[in-house]
Amino acid sequence: MGKSGLRSGIALGGRSGVRMCATPGLLLLLLVLTHSGVAQVRDDDDFLSLSELPETFPSDPPEPLPHFLFEPEEGYIVKNRPTTLYCKATPATQIYFKCNSEWVHQKDHTVEERVDENSGLVVREASIEISRQQVEELFGPEDYWCQCVAWSSAGTTKSRKAHVRVAYLKKMFEQEPLGKEVSLEQEVLLQCRPPEGIPAAEVEWLKNEEIIDPAEDRNFYITVDHNLIIKQARLSDTANYTCVAKNIVAKRRSTTATVIVYVNGGWSTWTEWSVCNSRCGRGFQKRTRSCTNPAPLNGGLPCDGQAIQKLSCTTLCTVDGDWTEWTKWSACGTECTQWRRRECNNPVPQNGGKDCEGLVLQSQNCTDGLCMQSSLFQKSTEPKEKSDLGFTSAPSTDDVALYVGIVIAVIMCLVISVIVALFVYRKTHRDFDSDIIDTSALNGGFQSVNIKSARSDPLPNLKIKVYNSSSLVTPQDELGGDFTSKLSPKITQSLLDNSDTMNLRNQTLARTRDPSCTAHGSFNNQGGHLIVPNSGVSLLVPAGAVPPGRVYEMYVTVHRKDSLRPLVEDIQTVLSPVVSCGPPGALLTRPVILTIHHCADNVQEDWLIQLKNQLALGEWEDVVVVGEENFTTPCYVQMDSEACHILTETLGTYCLVGQSVGKAAAKRLKLAVFGPVSCTTLDYHIRVYCLDDTQDALKEVLQMETQMGGKLLDEPKTLNFKDSTHNLRLSIHDVPHTLWKSKLIAKYQEIPFYQVWSGSQRSLHCTFTLERLSAAITEVSCKLCVRQVEGEGQIFQLSSTLEEELQCIDTSLMDPASNITTLVGPNAFRIPLSIRQKLCGSLDAPQTRGNDWRMLAHKLNLDRYLNYFATKSSPTGVILDLWEAQHFPDGDLNELAAVLEEMGRHDSNFSTITTEH
């Protein structure tokens, strides 16, 4: 046995010594055996000299305290089956359990030992079984606990206490769910308190024997105390619900609770009135409605009211015409004929009655056959009278001469008319009083135009007049030569073709223009500003945009017809009104700026916005996606929080269309509530408008309500409508039931999400009808709530009198005459022309320090796409034009001066602006 054997023997002896510490006799024997072993080693190695042995032997490192790899866990005794407690520790020379402070007998342990291959330490495992009898008889059901204790040479370590309990689950529920009948979208609460048990029972709910998972159907919610909540009852939630409690012992089911979701009936809209059932005289006409909106379901209440309404009517009776008696025969004429006549007025045909049939005039030979002249004058539908031989009588020589004379007279009149027309045409063209009528103000895009003489027009005269400062020219000269060479072939051809068709279209479209949403004026090279009052729409014509020596009659108009708005896809929405500016095809030498209000919220992050342009035939095309401009893009769009500014050299019809990037995208709605100025009936109608949050949309509704005799009941409010597919819900509350009764059967009205989101309808609204119980009631008060389902909402506090008030509505948004619509020349701009020219001369040239027009764009937050400005002859001028449009009409020149100071451009002398203005 070598040194390793000796070392192992000593280590083994050490471990055994710990184990046998309670038996000193065995320890003494072990020491003797160990001493003999050492002597034996020396005998076996007596060939080694004592000088070769080391003076001391190396010792093993001290053992650490035991630590538990697995501690005993809580145990439950199920139906008399014992439970097993288990623990594992390292390093451990011994490991035992003690329960309720008493050591468990060694024979009741199952102990296993092994050596960890990585650490070389001894790992010991121990397990014991606890029976139901031990728990119940000795210590009671709640107090029985066990603990694992491990030893090593360094000391002892105790595990946590593991309690052992007898598991059970009682049969009776402390509270069981009860069946209910609820209306549609009502909240439902089903209560459940499971039976008492150890361990505590877990609870799950069954719907028609299928497990309810609130993560899959968010309309369900299970509370911490095991109650089931149905947030908004749906028809599909009509079912049998069962509460199930279970633990390791058993599984219990509650009695089944039946939930019935009923729907009260609601009337459909009235049909159109039928035709009067009497063709002549008094009768009646009727209209019907059905209880299908919705139909009563699952025991819901039927509709209250009449399904048929009748209205008396009177139909004018038709009167067929009849002849009067023939007059007496006239004297015999030179042509051997005499005449008589009758009239169709006995009676005159009335109300669609039939005309008389037969002859109006009758003639006969008055010479007893000596003259063969006989003819009948009759209606064109009657054949001429024939002679006895079957041929019509030939006209006389006098008749032929008469007919020839009439034809010659007609020809002469035509010739004279043509000569007069040519003379007038040449005279008017020599004076050059012609107009090019624009048709795209409402139809959009470049359209064919028609050269016509000036005419009166009750609506704004949206035309282009082209003058030359040196001399007057003819329209042919103006459309030819240098001007037509600069226009595209498409525009030039439109000036020449289809003149008759476009003439008719001009007359039709001109009548549709609304003066309240149109601004127009004449502009020369000095530029100016067109403003549609209180609409958020304007057209800035910078100085130099109109070629020198020219005068353009320009216009900007807001279209209010829903049919003119672009059709959008399901995921898109219209964000601005449709706006036209013109004249289309006008030659511009620098961009004009069209400003339009929009209703997109947080445009920089949540939206993908497109600018669309309407073509000549009415279809829409994409011009540019904001943020994706390049060198081929014909225009540039600057998006602000409430308005967009379109820089373009092409006049036409434009509109903004948006698509949300995420569910956080929202469009702003303007909510406005109107009621009648005075009320003479028992019914009181409250109209709630849900408009795009643009100035023109509100202005249009104010004008319409004024014509209808309406007034604002509360200040308009803004609502952020998110792209969440949830509808817009409107409800009325706190109606004084002793004075008024609401005619709304359902609890609320809803406008479908897509109808609001698409923006295809401008004046979207709902109506609430209240009926007063007495004609003496003169005041009404209630609350109106408008909110998006699972979104934002607004509450209106309504309080109004039914008598007409002197000042019922704010007219400032309806009277365009009270506002300036046209500014011409230098007065239209905040920055004086001289200072502007100095700034352009100073900042257009690139600077090594970088404080040129690029820094100016950066300071003004206009640097999203600098390449657009770089392509212009004066980038600084275009940037200043955009600043003018953004800050009209109250741009702060001090702020602009401060920006130039920050740039270190003292050479521009911009500080003179603040002193001069």
Side-chain angles (χ1 to χ4, degrees):
M1 187 173 181
K3 297 178 182 179
S4 60
L6 175 62
R7 190 178 297 114
S8 299
I10 294 172
L12 180 59
R15 290 194 295 268
S16 301
V18 175
R19 179 186 299 176
M20 305 304 291
C21 61
T23 56
L26 291 177
L27 179 59
L28 179 60
L29 178 61
L30 180 62
L31 291 174
V32 172
L33 290 175
T34 305
H35 179 74
S36 300
V38 173
Q40 181 67 33
V41 169
R42 289 178 178 176
D43 292 341
D44 293 341
D45 295 339
D46 55 3
F47 59 91
L48 295 174
S49 64
L50 292 176
S51 62
E52 295 178 356
L53 295 174
E55 295 180 0
T56 59
F57 291 96
S59 60
D60 288 337
E63 280 187 323
L65 280 172
H67 69 275
F68 283 93
L69 303 176
F70 189 90
E71 297 187 78
E73 296 180 344
E74 302 287 325
Y76 298 96
I77 297 174
V78 180
K79 296 180 180 180
N80 297 322
R81 293 193 297 271
T83 184
T84 300
L85 298 181
Y86 169 80
C87 65
K88 181 183 0 180
T90 184
T93 57
Q94 290 185 16
I95 186 166
Y96 291 103
F97 277 94
K98 67 177 179 179
C99 295
N100 283 59
S101 302
E102 296 290 336
W103 290 103
V104 179
H105 199 279
Q106 183 177 359
K107 68 177 182 178
D108 294 331
H109 286 75
T110 301
V111 180
E112 294 182 4
E113 177 184 342
R114 64 182 177 86
V115 177
D116 187 273
E117 296 179 355
N118 296 325
S119 63
L121 300 176
V122 177
V123 179
R124 287 185 179 272
E125 304 174 6
S127 62
I128 60 172
E129 286 189 350
I130 308 297
S131 66
R132 181 173 187 146
Q133 183 179 3
Q134 291 175 269
V135 174
E136 290 184 344
E137 291 184 357
L138 300 179
F139 303 104
E142 295 296 336
D143 299 329
Y144 197 92
W145 57 267
C146 292
Q147 191 176 33
C148 191
V149 182
W151 285 267
S152 73
S153 60
T156 62
T157 303
K158 296 179 181 180
S159 72
R160 65 167 176 257
K161 293 181 179 180
H163 290 84
V164 179
R165 298 182 177 91
V166 178
Y168 69 94
L169 182 64
K170 292 185 177 181
K171 293 184 178 180
M172 301 301 295
F173 279 75
E174 295 184 9
Q175 184 174 8
E176 294 186 298
L178 301 176
K180 295 184 178 182
E181 292 185 359
V182 297
S183 63
L184 191 66
E185 298 191 354
Q186 180 180 338
E187 184 179 87
V188 184
L189 172 64
L190 297 178
Q191 294 181 317
C192 175
R193 293 174 61 189
E196 179 185 347
I198 295 178
E202 297 178 356
V203 174
E204 64 183 13
W205 283 86
L206 303 181
K207 174 184 176 183
N208 290 340
E209 301 303 321
E210 293 185 359
I211 297 176
I212 296 175
D213 185 1
E216 294 182 359
D217 190 345
R218 296 189 177 181
N219 198 40
F220 293 105
Y221 176 69
I222 299 177
T223 64
V224 293
D225 51 354
H226 312 304
N227 296 329
L228 176 66
I229 295 177
I230 305 175
K231 297 178 182 178
Q232 289 185 323
R234 304 162 297 192
L235 291 177
S236 60
D237 294 328
T238 299
N240 294 323
Y241 293 86
T242 307
C243 181
V244 179
K246 60 182 179 179
N247 64 5
I248 59 177
V249 179
K251 186 177 185 179
R252 312 290 187 208
R253 292 169 58 96
S254 70
T255 57
T256 298
T258 301
V259 174
I260 298 176
V261 182
Y262 64 85
V263 179
N264 293 327
W267 289 113
S268 64
T269 57
W270 288 103
T271 61
E272 297 293 332
W273 287 103
S274 64
V275 180
C276 193
N277 67 336
S278 175
R279 295 185 178 181
C280 179
R282 293 183 60 83
F284 69 88
Q285 55 186 151
K286 67 178 182 179
R287 64 175 182 175
T288 61
R289 59 179 178 176
S290 59
C291 189
T292 57
N293 186 33
L297 192 64
N298 295 337
L301 297 176
C303 299
D304 182 19
Q306 298 178 347
I308 300 176
Q309 279 187 349
K310 291 185 179 181
L311 191 66
S312 61
C313 57
T314 302
T315 304
L316 297 176
C317 300
T318 59
V319 178
D320 295 336
D322 198 5
W323 295 109
T324 59
E325 295 293 331
W326 289 104
T327 61
K328 294 181 179 181
W329 290 102
S330 64
C332 192
T334 58
E335 298 180 359
C336 306
T337 57
Q338 58 182 170
W339 302 85
R340 66 175 182 177
R341 65 179 296 125
R342 58 181 177 176
E343 302 291 341
C344 185
N345 56 11
N346 186 32
V348 176
Q350 297 179 7
N351 305 324
K354 296 179 181 179
D355 288 333
C356 303
E357 295 183 358
L359 305 175
V360 178
L361 296 177
Q362 190 178 38
S363 66
Q364 67 177 7
N365 192 302
C366 57
T367 59
D368 295 330
L370 296 180
C371 292
M372 299 303 296
Q373 178 70 25
S374 176
S375 64
L376 291 176
F377 289 80
Q378 49 198 322
K379 289 187 174 182
S380 60
T381 56
E382 297 293 330
K384 290 185 178 181
E385 186 178 32
K386 296 185 179 181
S387 64
D388 295 338
L389 296 178
F391 299 99
T392 56
S393 57
S396 64
T397 304
D398 294 339
D399 290 339
V400 172
L402 177 61
Y403 295 153
V404 171
I406 292 174
V407 170
I408 294 173
V410 170
I411 292 174
M412 292 298 295
C413 290
L414 289 175
V415 172
I416 294 173
S417 299
V418 170
I419 294 173
V420 172
L422 288 175
F423 175 80
V424 173
Y425 177 80
R426 290 187 177 182
K427 179 176 179 59
T428 56
H429 280 66
R430 190 160 47 247
D431 293 338
F432 190 60
D433 190 16
S434 64
D435 295 327
I436 302 177
I437 309 299
D438 164 49
T439 65
S440 67
L442 292 177
N443 204 28
F446 293 116
Q447 299 203 20
S448 304
V449 296
N450 190 26
I451 299 176
K452 296 177 55 179
S453 59
R455 59 178 177 85
S456 60
D457 192 344
L459 297 179
N461 198 13
L462 308 183
K463 305 171 185 178
I464 171 174
K465 294 184 179 180
V466 184
Y467 300 91
N468 191 295
S469 59
S470 59
S471 62
L472 297 176
V473 296
T474 63
Q476 292 85 348
D477 295 336
E478 192 65 16
L479 291 175
D482 182 65
F483 181 73
T484 55
S485 65
K486 296 180 181 179
L487 296 179
S488 67
K490 182 176 181 181
I491 302 172
T492 306
Q493 188 64 24
S494 69
L495 294 173
L496 304 176
D497 298 340
N498 303 326
S499 59
D500 294 336
T501 304
M502 296 310 299
N503 182 25
L504 179 60
R505 187 182 302 174
N506 283 339
Q507 296 175 355
T508 304
L509 292 178
R511 286 192 295 269
T512 64
R513 295 194 180 109
D514 185 354
S516 68
C517 53
T518 300
H520 60 96
S522 299
F523 295 92
N524 56 17
N525 187 252
Q526 292 184 338
H529 212 147
L530 283 177
I531 307 101
V532 179
N534 302 302
S535 67
V537 176
S538 63
L539 180 66
L540 179 73
V541 183
V546 177
R550 301 291 179 89
V551 176
Y552 289 168
E553 188 168 335
M554 307 184 74
Y555 65 85
V556 59
T557 184
V558 184
H559 300 295
R560 291 180 172 174
K561 287 188 176 181
D562 291 338
S563 58
L564 295 176
R565 297 168 76 83
L567 298 176
V568 296
E569 302 174 0
D570 292 344
I571 58 176
Q572 293 180 323
T573 177
V574 178
L575 296 176
S576 75
V578 178
V579 177
S580 290
C581 57
L587 176 64
L588 299 173
T589 56
R590 64 185 302 164
V592 296
I593 303 175
L594 178 64
T595 298
I596 308 175
H597 264 209
H598 66 79
C599 60
D601 186 58
N602 197 11
V603 292
Q604 305 299 336
E605 298 180 4
D606 298 334
W607 288 94
L608 180 67
I609 297 180
Q610 292 177 314
L611 178 66
K612 288 182 175 286
N613 176 41
Q614 192 178 35
L615 302 178
L617 297 179
E619 67 272 15
W620 289 85
E621 69 171 357
D622 296 336
V623 180
V624 64
V625 176
V626 177
E628 299 180 7
E629 293 90 343
N630 53 46
F631 285 105
T632 63
T633 304
C635 60
Y636 173 79
V637 180
Q638 174 67 31
M639 296 296 300
D640 293 341
S641 59
E642 295 184 356
C644 73
H645 308 278
I646 305 169
L647 285 75
T648 180
E649 297 178 28
T650 304
L651 303 180
T653 301
Y654 294 98
C655 181
L656 281 184
V657 172
Q659 177 178 334
S660 62
V661 176
K663 295 298 182 182
K667 61 183 296 186
R668 297 189 309 275
L669 300 182
K670 182 66 74 176
L671 307 176
V673 183
F674 291 85
V677 173
S678 60
C679 184
T680 57
T681 63
L682 296 180
D683 288 347
Y684 186 83
H685 302 288
I686 300 174
R687 293 176 292 277
V688 187
Y689 290 85
C690 306
L691 315 168
D692 290 345
D693 186 16
T694 60
Q695 289 187 17
D696 184 71
L698 181 59
K699 172 183 172 181
E700 178 186 6
V701 169
L702 289 172
Q703 291 174 334
M704 182 173 61
E705 281 290 333
T706 301
Q707 296 173 359
M708 295 169 55
K711 65 177 180 180
L712 269 172
L713 300 182
D714 198 357
E715 288 295 324
K717 299 183 179 181
T718 303
L719 173 69
N720 286 336
F721 189 80
K722 290 190 175 182
D723 183 16
S724 61
T725 71
H726 291 297
N727 298 341
L728 190 68
R729 181 173 294 177
L730 302 93
S731 55
I732 193 166
H733 307 275
D734 298 347
V735 178
H737 298 291
T738 57
L739 304 176
W740 295 85
K741 180 179 71 173
S742 174
K743 286 193 172 183
L744 183 66
I745 297 177
K747 294 194 300 183
Y748 52 80
Q749 300 186 61
E750 280 193 354
I751 302 177
F753 168 80
Y754 177 73
Q755 202 169 358
V756 179
W757 186 257
S758 66
S760 57
Q761 292 179 261
R762 287 176 58 85
S763 303
L764 197 62
H765 71 280
C766 283
T767 301
F768 291 90
T769 301
L770 302 179
E771 180 182 1
R772 50 180 168 170
L773 303 182
S774 170
I777 299 172
T778 59
E779 292 186 355
V780 59
S781 63
C782 60
K783 289 183 181 179
L784 199 68
C785 178
V786 184
R787 70 179 182 92
Q788 187 179 16
V789 178
E790 299 189 12
E792 294 186 11
Q794 290 285 6
I795 296 178
F796 292 87
Q797 298 281 353
L798 306 184
S799 179
S800 178
T801 177
L802 307 189
E803 298 176 354
E804 186 170 359
E805 302 172 0
L806 295 178
Q807 182 65 27
C808 61
I809 200 167
D810 183 10
T811 59
S812 62
L813 291 178
M814 300 182 297
D815 184 12
S818 64
N819 301 87
I820 299 175
T821 61
T822 306
L823 298 172
V824 180
N827 293 331
F829 308 103
R830 291 285 293 162
I831 305 175
L833 181 60
S834 59
I835 300 299
R836 181 190 189 90
Q837 291 173 347
K838 291 180 181 179
L839 288 175
C840 293
S842 175
L843 300 179
D844 280 345
Q847 300 291 325
T848 55
R849 295 171 51 195
N851 57 346
D852 50 20
W853 64 269
R854 291 167 295 183
M855 182 178 290
L856 177 64
H858 174 73
K859 293 288 186 181
L860 298 178
N861 295 320
L862 304 177
D863 57 342
R864 182 174 58 81
Y865 183 62
L866 291 176
N867 288 337
Y868 177 82
F869 302 106
T871 59
K872 305 305 174 185
S873 59
S874 176
T876 307
V878 179
I879 293 172
L880 295 178
D881 293 340
L882 184 51
W883 183 88
E884 292 268 9
Q886 281 184 310
H887 298 85
F888 178 83
D890 51 357
D892 190 350
L893 297 180
N894 291 322
E895 291 183 2
L896 189 57
V899 168
L900 293 170
E901 288 290 334
E902 290 179 8
M903 294 172 55
R905 297 310 303 259
H906 306 285
D907 56 332
S908 60
N909 295 325
F910 191 76
S911 58
T912 56
I913 296 178
T914 57
T915 58
E916 295 177 3
H917 293 74

